[in-house]
Amino acid sequence: MGRAVVPTRAGSQGVLPPEVTQIIIFADLIFLHDGLSHRGKSTYERMPPLFDLDEYEFCLNGDRGIYCLVRMDLVGPDDSDLIQLIRDYSAVTTKHYNHSYLERGICVTRTCRKYFEYEQNVSDFDANLEACLNETIYKDYELKINLTKIYYCKKHEDGIQIDSYDWIVFGIFGFFVAINAIGTVYHQFVYRREEEKNIDSGNKYLLCFSIKRNWGWLIQSEPKDPRIRRLKGFYGVRTITNVLIIFAHIITILGNGFVANPRDFEEAYDHLLYQMIFNGVMVVHVFFCISGFLLVYNFLIRVEKLPATWASIPFVMFLRWWRLTPVYALIIAFNSTWMRHLSSGPLWDHYVTNSFVRDCRRYWWQHLIYINNYMTENKFCALHTWHVASDTQLFFIGLVAYVLTMKRGRKIVMILLLITSLILPSLHVWFQDLDGIMILMPEFFRTLNNDSFYLMCKLGHNNLVSYTVGMASGNLVYNWQKRGVDISKNKVFAKFLWLVIPAIALIMYSGQMFYIEGPRASVFLRMAYASLHRLIIAVIIAGGLIGMVMKSPIILRNILEWKGWVLPGRLTYCVYLIHFNFIHIISGIKITLNQAAMFNMFITTAGVTCLSYILALLLFLLVEGPLNNLMKTWTDSVKKE
């Protein structure tokens, strides 16, 4: 086989990157020879387009307008060289869409007018629609289709009525607006006059809902404890990592279907930047490592004054639940109700009402008790919050481990946790025949079907290694500080810190080995990679956190400790919860095919990030901040009693 080539849009050929593992790629599949392609005509020009949308609003202007979103499978004829070409091309699942089925938005009353001229034809709607589509595809490509699924059909008079659940959620949001208005007025006009007087407990609770007071806490940058002040660089790490995650999620919009240039999206799998983006799920280990570090570091500081007992575990878990759940529950409630009223269009029901909203209405309770990452049937409702559920589960494991070892055996337990965390992902690969990483195939964006994601990646126990390494690093820093260890002048450690970002990028790129066409990687390689890449990236991240907290003298630490990171860093949780809503909205409001392009990704990321921070600020001031202060006020009063 000769050097691999790719046909460009202009018909010329461009040489693929010269990596040894990619030399044999695409020679027979991208530009198929041996009678399977016509000269001067590329594969994509021969195949029917994956997606198409008729004009939606024009279709439904008339009283009898019907618009349907459908899936049709290409079924033959079997002796067609084109159908064989399509099947061969689609067999490269790691980089190609499945071109053997097409998705269309059809204006039935215009595109298929002659098949529905008479009332009796409407009674056999599916058969007539299939005949219409068959005629179109056969005329242009000499292929036959089966109409396998009608996602839905919309008529001129169709609409969504506001129901009782909508009004209940509206009332809850109204309550928070009202109580914050009352609390702010009280703070501004009553509390300031009584500052020198004793304030009863009721006034203290009302003061928690002062927007002015919560804003002051949000921008406060200097904690009292000098050891906690050393953690200020975490705000920068959180903010930057969160934006990178948003950027990686934006690719969902480009790949989830109904794009004008799916070929460009498929070719992106051979570009270095996209290869790293597709493996960007590894970035989430930064959050797991930080969470494990903070759990242990704060735990050890607090038990200096108040020893931890088994009886304290339920109360600590309740405090965490209270910290995470109110704003999370409000977002899920909005997703289940008012979200579906925000817009309409040919794809709105497909990406929002019949998927996202439907699953939130069915499975909202899974999110409130943080088990949604183990429930495979919940595919669409706040899918990205699997990380929040996993983190909560790992928090409980870490808390139990440290309370259990208050007197002895801590090193043994930590070693056992680390060994277990390395074994578990490998067992999933072995018994369920999974890949070493979550492979973001084009069809995953289209269907959200991926065994490695649902059966390994999002499960809490498979992320234990990052959390355990984070816990160990938090313990190490605490003990170093107690012994007065100073690494601020250690040049070797400083050089290591400069390698943190390149090393993470290299590990992300290494996952590209699982995208190579040809024989699948051996099960032993997949098992080893599933465990070891988690450990390696966690150790690198932990090293960076240790250097930052221990004041290693590099400019990167100074950048991360900039005071400007405090506000966006504290809004990270709300931003993370909100941003995926915009992805569903942008996908659903499309009325034409989008262009999959890097420039669109950057622009969309900037817009989604800005809007997410604006809404996150409102949610923090009206919900998260007040309720956190409410709990703090109550616990302080309990301590005094």
Side-chain angles (χ1 to χ4, degrees), residues 161-174 337-338:
Q161 301 298 320
I162 297 177
D163 60 22
S164 57
Y165 295 107
D166 297 325
W167 289 120
I168 291 173
V169 172
F170 181 82
I172 294 173
F173 276 93
T337 54
W338 290 99

Side-chain angles (χ1 to χ4, degrees), residues 98-374:
N98 182 358
H99 287 255
S100 66
Y101 76 93
L102 314 175
E103 292 176 303
R104 296 283 189 271
I106 303 293
C107 181
V108 176
T109 46
R110 295 183 183 274
T111 303
C112 302
R113 183 182 304 170
K114 72 176 184 178
Y115 287 88
F116 295 92
E117 289 181 342
Y118 306 102
E119 289 294 332
Q120 57 267 32
N121 290 352
V122 179
S123 61
D124 199 2
F125 185 88
D126 292 9
N128 284 295
L129 182 56
E130 182 177 84
C132 170
L133 297 172
N134 242 319
E135 179 186 37
T136 303
I137 297 298
Y138 193 83
K139 178 182 177 181
D140 295 336
Y141 302 97
E142 297 183 355
L143 296 175
K144 296 179 180 179
I145 63 101
N146 280 340
L147 183 63
T148 51
K149 188 171 185 178
I150 299 178
Y151 294 114
Y152 51 81
C153 288
K154 305 283 287 185
K155 297 181 181 180
H156 173 77
E157 65 274 9
D158 287 348
I160 301 176
Q161 301 298 320
I162 297 177
D163 60 22
S164 57
Y165 295 107
D166 297 325
W167 289 120
I168 291 173
V169 172
F170 181 82
I172 294 173
F173 276 93
F175 167 77
F176 277 102
V177 172
I179 193 66
N180 276 276
I182 296 171
T184 304
V185 170
Y186 168 77
H187 183 204
Q188 185 69 20
F189 297 103
V190 179
Y191 176 75
R192 291 180 63 183
R193 297 176 183 175
E194 301 180 351
E195 249 182 327
E196 302 300 327
K197 302 178 182 179
N198 293 325
I199 304 174
D200 61 45
S201 58
N203 291 337
K204 288 181 181 179
Y205 292 123
L206 183 58
L207 193 61
C208 295
F209 292 90
S210 167
I211 294 176
K212 181 179 179 181
R213 188 170 184 255
N214 287 309
W215 169 257
W217 183 88
L218 181 62
I219 61 175
Q220 178 186 357
S221 60
E222 293 295 332
K224 295 179 180 179
D225 192 322
R227 290 176 294 182
I228 301 299
R229 285 202 296 269
R230 283 177 170 260
L231 304 178
K232 58 185 177 182
F234 282 46
Y235 291 123
V237 176
R238 281 173 167 172
T239 303
I240 295 171
T241 305
N242 213 32
V243 173
L244 290 175
I245 288 176
I246 293 174
F247 179 73
H249 285 164
I250 293 299
I251 201 171
T252 304
I253 300 173
L254 302 183
N256 66 359
F258 293 95
V259 292
N261 55 334
R263 175 185 184 179
D264 291 346
F265 186 77
E266 292 175 341
E267 290 178 347
Y269 282 78
D270 295 311
H271 297 161
L272 176 61
L273 178 59
Y274 281 100
Q275 289 170 349
M276 296 179 63
I277 293 173
F278 291 140
N279 294 317
V281 70
M282 298 181 188
V283 174
V284 78
H285 292 291
V286 174
F287 282 128
F288 287 126
C289 202
I290 288 177
S291 185
F293 183 102
L294 292 177
L295 166 64
V296 170
Y297 189 74
N298 289 323
F299 176 89
L300 293 175
I301 291 175
R302 289 175 185 269
V303 296
E304 292 174 353
K305 298 179 180 179
L306 186 65
T309 64
W310 287 105
S312 65
I313 292 179
F315 182 67
V316 172
M317 290 304 301
F318 172 74
L319 290 179
R320 179 179 173 85
W321 183 90
W322 183 269
R323 159 74 177 84
L324 298 178
T325 305
V327 66
Y328 188 14
L330 278 179
I331 291 174
I332 295 295
F334 179 83
N335 295 345
S336 305
T337 54
W338 290 99
M339 181 76 168
R340 68 193 198 278
H341 298 291
L342 294 183
S343 187
S344 63
L347 302 175
W348 184 255
D349 286 0
H350 188 58
Y351 289 118
V352 179
T353 305
N354 294 347
S355 53
F356 182 56
V357 174
R358 179 200 63 198
D359 278 7
C360 282
R361 286 204 161 202
R362 289 179 180 175
Y363 306 117
W364 57 269
W365 57 274
Q366 297 176 1
H367 296 266
L368 301 189
I369 57 176
Y370 300 97
I371 61 170
N372 52 292
N373 59 323
Y374 281 91

Side-chain angles (χ1 to χ4, degrees), residues 574-594:
C574 285
V575 169
Y576 184 80
L577 292 179
I578 291 171
H579 81 275
F580 221 77
N581 281 40
F582 290 107
I583 292 176
H584 285 283
I585 292 171
I586 294 171
S587 299
I589 62 175
K590 289 189 291 190
I591 59 175
T592 59
L593 301 182
N594 281 357

Side-chain angles (χ1 to χ4, degrees), residues 19-40:
E19 289 90 317
V20 175
T21 56
Q22 294 182 340
I23 291 179
I24 62 172
I25 296 174
F26 292 129
D28 292 325
L29 294 170
I30 294 292
F31 196 72
L32 293 171
H33 298 282
D34 301 327
L36 290 180
S37 62
H38 298 307
R39 290 187 178 181

